[in-house]
Amino acid sequence: MTDTAIALDDIDRRILNALQIDASQTNSELAQAVHVSAPTCLRRVKHLTAAGVITRQVAIVAPEKVGARLTAIVEITLDVQAAERMDEFEQYIGADDAVLQCYRVSPGPDFVLIIQVADMPAYHALAHRLFAAQTNVRNVKTYFSTFRSKFETKIAL
């Protein structure tokens, strides 16, 4: 799998748009929705998956329904930005289930994290465990979401 974009035709785009809205559809339902035969649809989905365009299919869970009510957006600056130290930090952070997203960014901090936890005590415990205990973390700046006005996983094609 490479990071280069692959050429998508209209059928591929229709399939991807339909799957981004509802990936639980059967192949027959998807084929009907995008106006192609079921074998063509299945072949296209398999190709898009093999090419790395479709990386996985998941259920999106409502955080408030499972007790994860606090969203934190966290900026992290490291003391040492050598490639191996950045990789090390990413691996460490990536192992924690509360860290939903991790981005290397520039300019500014080294990383931006999206974290979902139950409440402020849970965040405090996470911050101590993930940030305060790490000798390479120089600065942590956290923003707490007071209201989510938009959340979308669909990429415009």
Side-chain angles (χ1 to χ4, degrees):
M1 183 172 88
T2 64
D3 289 339
T4 58
I6 69 164
L8 300 174
D9 64 14
D10 185 55
I11 295 170
D12 291 332
R13 284 186 181 82
R14 291 193 320 250
I15 289 170
L16 291 170
N17 280 324
L19 287 174
Q20 287 186 101
I21 292 167
D22 181 6
S24 69
Q25 302 174 72
T26 66
N27 183 61
S28 295
E29 292 168 336
L30 179 60
Q32 186 175 12
V34 300
H35 309 293
V36 296
S37 70
T40 296
C41 187
L42 184 59
R43 182 177 45 76
R44 294 284 189 124
V45 170
K46 284 183 177 184
H47 172 74
L48 291 166
T49 302
V53 177
I54 298 172
T55 57
R56 60 186 171 154
Q57 295 181 13
V58 300
I60 298 173
V61 176
E64 68 280 359
K65 300 290 185 181
V66 295
R69 297 182 182 278
L70 184 64
T71 304
I73 299 98
V74 183
E75 295 178 354
I76 303 289
T77 303
L78 302 180
D79 271 330
V80 178
Q81 288 87 12
E84 63 274 359
R85 298 300 301 270
M86 302 277 269
D87 292 342
E88 194 178 276
F89 181 77
E90 282 175 324
Q91 287 180 343
Y92 181 72
I93 291 297
D96 196 290
D97 289 340
V99 178
L100 301 182
Q101 298 174 45
C102 176
Y103 299 94
R104 282 192 194 189
V105 296
S106 179
D110 297 312
F111 295 94
V112 172
L113 311 175
I114 308 298
I115 294 174
Q116 195 77 43
V117 290
D119 51 23
M120 193 57 77
Y123 174 77
H124 179 72
L126 176 136
H128 185 273
R129 181 178 72 250
L130 293 183
F131 313 138
Q134 293 298 306
T135 58
N136 195 30
V137 173
R138 178 179 2 142
N139 189 41
V140 177
K141 186 175 184 179
T142 304
Y143 304 89
F144 296 101
S145 173
T146 58
F147 178 74
R148 181 169 77 181
S149 60
K150 181 174 182 177
F151 174 81
E152 185 60 60
T153 61
K154 185 178 180 223
I155 296 172
L157 299 173

